[in-house]
Amino acid sequence: MKLIIFFGLIFFSLLVSLILGRKDLKDKKKPVTAIIKALLVNIVVLGLGSLWWFLTETDGISQGIGVMIYLGSIIGISLIDMVFIYVWNGLARTQ
């Protein structure tokens, strides 16, 4: 069950940041603001997930690996958000 929550938080962070970035870009038409908001949501969700994993896991190696996976996920999701918002902005301008 813990493993489902662990990876579920990564998936949840990806979905929320993509939806929020798309909505913000649609409302304000500023890709930099949309990327920053998506990045902040990503950092908050996975940062809290890292804290949860660190406090609930008893093995030190598992704690470190879990936090490192979350840090890698922050970087990966941020890159996905940037590409998604850049492409979405480009498509919106051509229409």
Side-chain angles (χ1 to χ4, degrees):
M1 183 64 181
K2 228 170 138 175
L3 204 55
I4 293 171
I5 295 172
F6 180 82
F7 289 111
L9 280 173
I10 295 171
F11 185 70
F12 175 75
S13 179
L14 174 66
L15 284 179
V16 169
S17 65
L18 286 175
I19 291 169
L20 184 73
R22 181 178 159 261
K23 183 181 179 304
D24 193 56
L25 183 64
K26 192 176 181 184
D27 292 343
K28 297 183 181 161
K29 308 282 190 236
K30 294 182 180 177
V32 174
T33 307
I35 289 171
I36 290 172
K37 283 188 179 179
L39 178 66
L40 289 176
V41 167
N42 186 20
I43 290 172
V44 168
V45 170
L46 292 180
L48 290 174
S50 294
L51 184 64
W52 163 76
W53 185 257
F54 191 78
L55 294 176
T56 59
E57 196 58 34
T58 56
D59 183 25
I61 293 174
S62 179
Q63 288 174 334
I65 291 173
V67 171
M68 294 304 279
I69 289 173
Y70 275 144
L71 288 174
S73 298
I74 287 173
I75 294 167
I77 292 172
S78 297
L79 291 173
I80 291 170
D81 286 338
M82 285 184 233
V83 170
F84 176 78
I85 290 172
Y86 175 75
V87 169
W88 191 268
N89 189 38
L91 291 176
R93 285 185 178 184
T94 59
Q95 292 179 354

